[in-house]
Amino acid sequence: MRSLLPILGFGLAALAVALGGVALVVGQDLRFIVLDNPWWLLTAIIPLLALAVRAGLTPRPPTMQFSRTRSARSLGPGLAARLAHLPDGMRLAAALLLAFALARPQSSRLTDRVEHEGIDIAIALDLSESMEADDLFPNRLEAAKEVIDQFIARRPHDRIGMVAFGAHASTVSPLTVDHGVLRQLVRRLQLGSLDGSKTAIGAGLGLALNRLKESDAATQVLVLLTDGVHNAEGIDPDSAAAEAKERGIAVYTVLIGRHASGQSVDPGRLERIAGLTGGYAYTAEDQQALVTTFQDLLDKLERSTIAGEHVRAELFFLFLWPALLLLLADVLLRSTRLRRFP
């Protein structure tokens, strides 16, 4: 039991230093710290009980006999002996700091308000072979990917999902607010990743509508980008448009590229789909027109921001980092200067 008091002393000293550092960092805001889960402080009992049990079960250290007690007194304990229990104290202080971190300290003064716009957007992108045409730089697909990337970046509060279609449709991403990952997926899209021999606009619309079934947002929007006419079997685009109308989903269509008379393109159907669902049909014959199209689309989708509840700033890291540093110092001391030998 004689080792218990030194360990507690070193532990409380290390804890006091760590808490003093926290107080210096927080400053006058210290009085605004509150614990969101104060019951987690009870976990501090565990390391204290473990320490008491260990001290009770540890046998007495071996003794060395001297022929003259005067010789033993003259030796005295060295620095390493005096600090022998420092690593255990640091470990105890780290455990107590982790208990504070688990209690989720927060600042009642530093708060933020969660904001969102309540729009879920599904994008359907054409990956048929004709998207390789270079009437947009460097080609239609790359130009479309660039404006989609910019569009996603400018809708930070919306959940956005994406599908691609050629002869059939495939999900690129479900609805997500992780726009960093979504933008990476958009950049990786390449011609040939799907069978591009046909253009299944109906399948693209149908799969995008399925992605929006995951949505409970008040406003749902579907954006269709294509450069061709529906020429594949399967879902009819008009049937998909009728479903979108029934579900209150506005479809915005974008016809990409310059198309000469007689080419395989059906702008009338795209206009009909958009008009039926309350959306709008765009035609982008060049790069600037495509950029302008998405700018106008951004304006049409602009919504007043919905302010959510105030969220208190999390401060658990102020206790977590000192705990990790104490554990690191504990490991270093046990491995070097205060290493124990049997």
Side-chain angles (χ1 to χ4, degrees):
M1 292 292 289
R2 285 190 294 179
S3 64
L4 181 59
L5 291 179
I7 294 175
L8 284 174
F10 282 124
L12 293 176
L15 181 63
V17 171
L19 294 178
V22 171
L24 287 176
V25 171
V26 176
Q28 294 183 352
D29 292 332
L30 183 64
R31 64 181 183 275
F32 296 106
I33 291 182
V34 296
L35 298 179
D36 189 56
N37 297 318
W39 289 107
W40 278 100
L41 288 177
L42 294 176
T43 58
I45 299 174
I46 298 174
L48 294 173
L49 288 176
L51 181 61
V53 170
R54 175 188 162 186
L57 297 179
T58 301
R60 281 179 68 91
T63 59
M64 182 178 295
Q65 294 183 352
F66 287 83
S67 58
R68 292 184 301 174
T69 57
R70 186 169 54 188
S71 300
R73 292 193 189 99
S74 65
L75 291 175
L79 179 62
R82 295 179 186 276
L83 299 179
H85 298 294
L86 176 59
D88 289 327
M90 298 173 78
R91 186 176 294 184
L92 174 63
L96 297 178
L97 287 169
L98 288 175
F100 274 104
L102 288 172
R104 287 188 65 189
Q106 299 173 340
S107 173
S108 60
R109 180 172 178 266
L110 303 174
T111 62
D112 193 10
R113 186 182 286 272
V114 176
E115 298 178 347
H116 58 91
E117 296 188 4
I119 298 180
D120 282 350
I121 303 170
I123 301 173
L125 176 62
D126 190 346
L127 287 187
S128 61
E129 295 171 352
S130 57
M131 290 290 284
E132 195 172 8
D134 60 1
D135 49 356
L136 279 74
F137 180 81
N139 58 44
R140 293 174 180 175
L141 176 60
E142 294 301 321
K145 286 165 54 177
E146 182 177 348
V147 294
I148 289 173
D149 181 75
Q150 296 172 1
F151 176 82
I152 295 171
R154 297 185 62 180
R155 305 295 302 184
H157 302 297
D158 296 329
R159 291 201 308 169
I160 302 177
M162 188 166 183
V163 304
F165 64 92
H168 61 275
S170 176
T171 297
V172 176
S173 170
L175 293 172
T176 180
V177 292
D178 192 345
H179 292 176
V181 171
L182 177 58
R183 293 172 69 184
Q184 289 182 16
L185 293 172
V186 171
R187 296 185 191 113
R188 293 175 185 173
L189 287 173
Q190 299 292 333
L191 293 172
S193 55
L194 292 176
D195 178 4
S197 59
K198 293 185 178 181
T199 305
I201 293 177
L205 287 172
L207 185 57
L209 288 173
N210 284 340
R211 294 279 69 85
L212 287 172
K213 283 184 178 179
E214 307 162 6
S215 169
D216 56 1
T219 303
Q220 300 174 27
V221 171
L222 196 160
V223 181
L224 170 71
L225 295 96
T226 182
D227 69 341
V229 62
H230 175 74
N231 55 13
E233 298 180 356
I235 301 174
D236 179 68
D238 291 307
S239 298
E243 180 185 346
K245 177 186 178 182
E246 183 178 347
R247 290 167 52 184
I249 299 173
V251 180
Y252 293 83
T253 64
V254 183
L255 179 60
I256 302 174
R258 290 188 293 271
H259 301 276
S261 178
Q263 284 188 325
S264 180
V265 65
D266 188 2
R269 168 171 266 178
L270 297 180
E271 293 173 2
R272 187 166 64 249
I273 291 172
L276 179 66
T277 60
Y280 192 86
Y282 298 94
T283 300
E285 295 186 346
D286 54 37
Q287 195 87 9
Q288 184 56 46
L290 186 59
V291 172
T292 302
T293 291
F294 271 81
Q295 181 58 54
D296 185 70
L297 183 56
L298 282 167
D299 294 339
K300 289 187 185 309
L301 296 181
E302 200 65 46
R303 301 275 292 183
S304 56
T305 300
I306 302 171
E309 297 180 355
H310 280 287
V311 178
R312 293 189 293 229
E314 297 283 353
L315 300 178
F316 67 91
F317 59 89
L318 293 176
F319 299 89
L320 181 61
W321 281 112
L324 295 177
L325 290 174
L326 285 172
L327 290 175
L328 179 60
D330 167 40
V331 172
L332 290 175
L333 288 174
R334 289 178 188 274
S335 304
T336 54
R337 187 68 180 85
L338 299 183
R339 184 177 181 181
R340 294 184 179 182
F341 295 94

